[in-house]
Amino acid sequence: MTSTPPHQSILDKPFVLDLFAGPGGLDVAGRVLDVPSLGIEWDRSACLTRYAAGLETLHADVSEVRRDSFESLPPEINVLAGGPPCQTYSVAGRGAGRKALEDVKTLINDLAAGASDEDIDKKLKSLEARGGDPRTALVLEPLRYAIQATRSPNRGYRPYDVIVLEQVPAVVEVWRHYAKVLEETGLPDGTKYKVVVDVLATETYGVPQTRSRAVLIARRTGLGEPELPEATHRAYEARQWNRRNSAGSDQVQATLDEACTEEPPSQPVKKNEPKHWLSMRDALAAEVGTHRGRKRPFLVRSNYGSSGDPKRRGVRTDQQPAATVTGRISRFVVFEHLDDHTGVVREGPRFNMNEAGMLQSFPPDYPWSGTAKAQQVGNAVPPLFGAHLLSAALGLPAPDPDALREPWAPATEEQRAKLRSHGCGAADDCTVRCPRPDEQTPPRSAPRPRKSK
């Protein structure tokens, strides 16, 4: 087994294929690291954001590309990455993926054993017929792509060198089974990988938000032992004033008063000690690009409850990291302390999309486009976290977080037209090869049964 010197990429020219690419979190990470990428994304609005940001994109369904046009993908791609849609595995969702976990593990074994696509698709349809969510199958796509690469004449039947996957924590058991298969059984052509899997907290990598992600990093055998990225910041530790859940104005006033008198946490003084986690104030106070900065102390109250109680709404001050940014971020209520001497509090402006993106570690002025922008922000991989994952996977130095705090230069109209011609088939519109509009809205969750009194 070869070893890689520190800070030297294990690949001469890494090129990432980003499955389920969303508005570009992992691709922005690649841009910061000077690693090219191609994203596959089915949602029209997310693609519009990607075109505006200047990111190479295919507006397509990941499964259809694998089935029908895999040979058209650039043969020099050597890194496979992605975060399959998480709704069926999320604790907040209906949990169809969790119920089908053992079925998914069986299908992973079947794929590694060389089962045909037809056989796998037939079994997936059977799962769906039994009430499973069709999106559950998408967690298999990275493995199916890895196998397809070894069967591709256009690639010279060459496997991917590196695989990087991330998902909600509930999927860690799927990633662990991926790891077991990739290490012990290997792909049907005999290719094996060394793999690490864990659940990581994004605030320990400088993201001003508490968000846990299950990650997998795999390197083809012979490319060295993979390692998880080393944390650069301390883990967020809840205090008593972090846990205020009352929705009443008196509670808001008391919490905000305390936030205004609380001293910001001091930075570490010992050499090589992790930095303090970043707060919402750290992310939003400075004026950058068109962002004017939030100068007054503020408090954020989420619009949904916790522990099954809609009245228990999470509350955090600007000196804490944001709660997990979801598609509901635009509904979070923000209270501002107008004057430290009078203690007057009012409801202030809610987070705009650039601010929401900054809480995800996107650059200021990132060109969010199309509709459902809040959903795009909430679904995205935090770019700084993605940069740490790619750096660790490729043996690169830890990313410079300041690179993501600079205003983003949007694509010119000419560049957008060129990107869209490649991604959609026309310079100014979608074409018949793009996913149909009625396919671009995730299915609604069934109403939850009411508990009997």
Side-chain angles (χ1 to χ4, degrees):
M1 180 179 296
T2 61
S3 60
T4 303
H7 305 328
Q8 179 178 325
S9 175
I10 62 172
L11 305 177
D12 290 335
K13 295 181 179 179
F15 188 163
V16 178
L17 177 63
D18 184 9
L19 308 180
F20 313 101
L26 204 60
D27 305 80
V28 170
R31 182 77 64 88
V32 168
L33 300 173
D34 198 26
V35 174
S37 64
L38 170 64
I40 304 177
E41 174 55 40
W42 66 282
D43 179 71
R44 178 179 179 273
S45 290
C47 286
L48 292 177
T49 295
R50 294 177 60 86
Y51 297 146
L55 302 177
E56 293 287 345
T57 304
L58 289 179
H59 183 194
D61 178 88
V62 165
S63 301
E64 289 186 4
V65 171
R66 173 181 51 78
R67 288 194 302 265
D68 304 329
S69 53
F70 189 92
E71 293 302 295
S72 68
L73 296 175
E76 60 269 29
I77 288 172
N78 50 14
V79 179
L80 179 68
C86 67
Q87 289 89 342
T88 62
Y89 293 90
S90 173
V91 174
R94 297 170 61 190
R98 297 195 303 275
K99 297 174 185 175
L101 179 59
E102 292 307 315
D103 292 314
V104 169
K105 288 181 177 180
T106 298
L107 289 169
I108 290 172
N109 293 339
D110 291 344
L111 283 166
S116 68
D117 284 336
E118 293 77 11
D119 184 43
I120 296 297
D121 289 339
K122 188 179 298 183
K123 292 181 178 180
L124 286 169
K125 286 183 178 179
S126 176
L127 287 178
E128 186 177 345
R130 299 202 305 268
D133 191 311
R135 293 172 295 182
T136 300
L138 297 178
V139 79
L140 298 174
E141 284 297 338
L143 180 57
R144 301 183 80 170
Y145 265 75
I147 294 171
Q148 190 67 26
T150 67
R151 299 170 176 170
S152 168
N154 187 44
R155 294 179 52 83
Y157 308 99
R158 179 170 49 85
Y160 295 121
D161 294 314
V162 174
I163 301 174
V164 180
L165 306 176
E166 66 88 39
Q167 249 283 9
V168 294
V171 184
V172 70
E173 289 304 318
V174 177
W175 290 165
R176 285 173 180 157
H177 199 69
Y178 258 58
K180 178 179 174 64
V181 167
L182 291 173
E183 288 190 324
E184 297 179 6
T185 306
L187 304 182
D189 75 327
T191 300
K192 293 186 178 182
Y193 293 81
K194 294 294 183 179
V195 190
V196 288
V197 174
D198 206 349
V199 176
L200 304 179
T202 60
E203 83 273 12
T204 64
Y205 298 94
V207 179
Q209 172 196 174
T210 52
R211 186 187 192 100
S212 297
R213 305 301 289 178
V215 302
L216 175 151
I217 296 177
R219 290 181 181 177
R220 185 168 51 80
T221 299
L223 291 176
E225 293 282 345
E227 294 182 354
L228 296 168
E230 184 177 352
T232 56
H233 292 68
R234 300 175 190 168
Y236 170 71
E237 295 180 2
R239 300 178 181 178
Q240 185 62 36
W241 56 271
N242 293 348
R243 300 180 179 274
R244 301 185 188 269
N245 294 308
S246 171
S249 59
D250 291 342
Q251 186 67 63
V252 168
Q253 176 71 65
T255 306
L256 197 47
D257 284 345
E258 193 164 2
C260 292
T261 58
E262 183 87 9
E263 286 295 323
S266 59
Q267 294 297 314
V269 295
K270 294 181 180 179
K271 188 177 180 180
N272 298 326
E273 184 180 356
K275 301 176 182 178
H276 198 279
W277 41 259
L278 269 66
S279 68
M280 289 183 277
R281 181 183 298 182
D282 294 327
L284 303 180
E287 294 188 13
V288 185
T290 60
H291 174 62
R292 297 277 63 89
R294 285 189 178 253
K295 305 301 183 184
R296 296 189 179 96
F298 64 86
L299 175 146
V300 181
R301 187 181 71 203
S302 65
N303 80 313
Y304 53 87
S306 62
S307 302
D309 184 353
K311 295 180 180 179
R312 296 186 61 194
R313 301 179 188 272
V315 175
R316 291 195 182 185
T317 75
D318 63 345
Q319 292 189 38
Q320 299 169 257
T324 301
V325 173
T326 70
R328 297 179 179 181
I329 184 66
S330 60
R331 304 180 195 174
F332 286 11
V333 181
V334 178
F335 295 93
E336 291 182 337
H337 207 298
L338 295 186
D339 188 315
D340 292 346
H341 299 291
T342 64
V344 176
V345 175
R346 73 170 181 186
E347 184 174 328
R350 300 192 181 191
F351 293 134
N352 59 44
M353 286 306 98
N354 283 106
E355 289 178 317
M358 291 166 73
L359 295 176
Q360 277 272 61
S361 74
F362 275 90
D365 297 335
Y366 194 70
W368 302 101
S369 304
T371 60
K373 296 183 181 70
Q375 197 67 44
Q376 292 183 51
V377 174
N379 288 344
V381 177
L384 182 54
F385 181 64
H388 277 282
L389 292 180
L390 287 178
S391 294
L394 297 173
L396 296 171
D400 178 7
D402 289 337
L404 287 163
R405 297 182 185 129
E406 297 295 326
W408 187 266
T412 64
E413 289 299 325
E414 182 179 359
Q415 289 169 332
R416 292 190 197 195
K418 184 177 180 180
L419 288 167
R420 194 162 190 182
S421 293
H422 177 241
C424 290
D428 58 356
D429 203 356
C430 289
T431 66
V432 293
R433 81 182 195 193
C434 299
R436 297 193 307 271
D438 60 339
E439 295 175 337
Q440 295 172 24
T441 301
R444 294 177 179 268
S445 296
R448 297 186 181 188
R450 296 184 177 180
K451 294 181 180 180
S452 58
K453 296 183 179 179

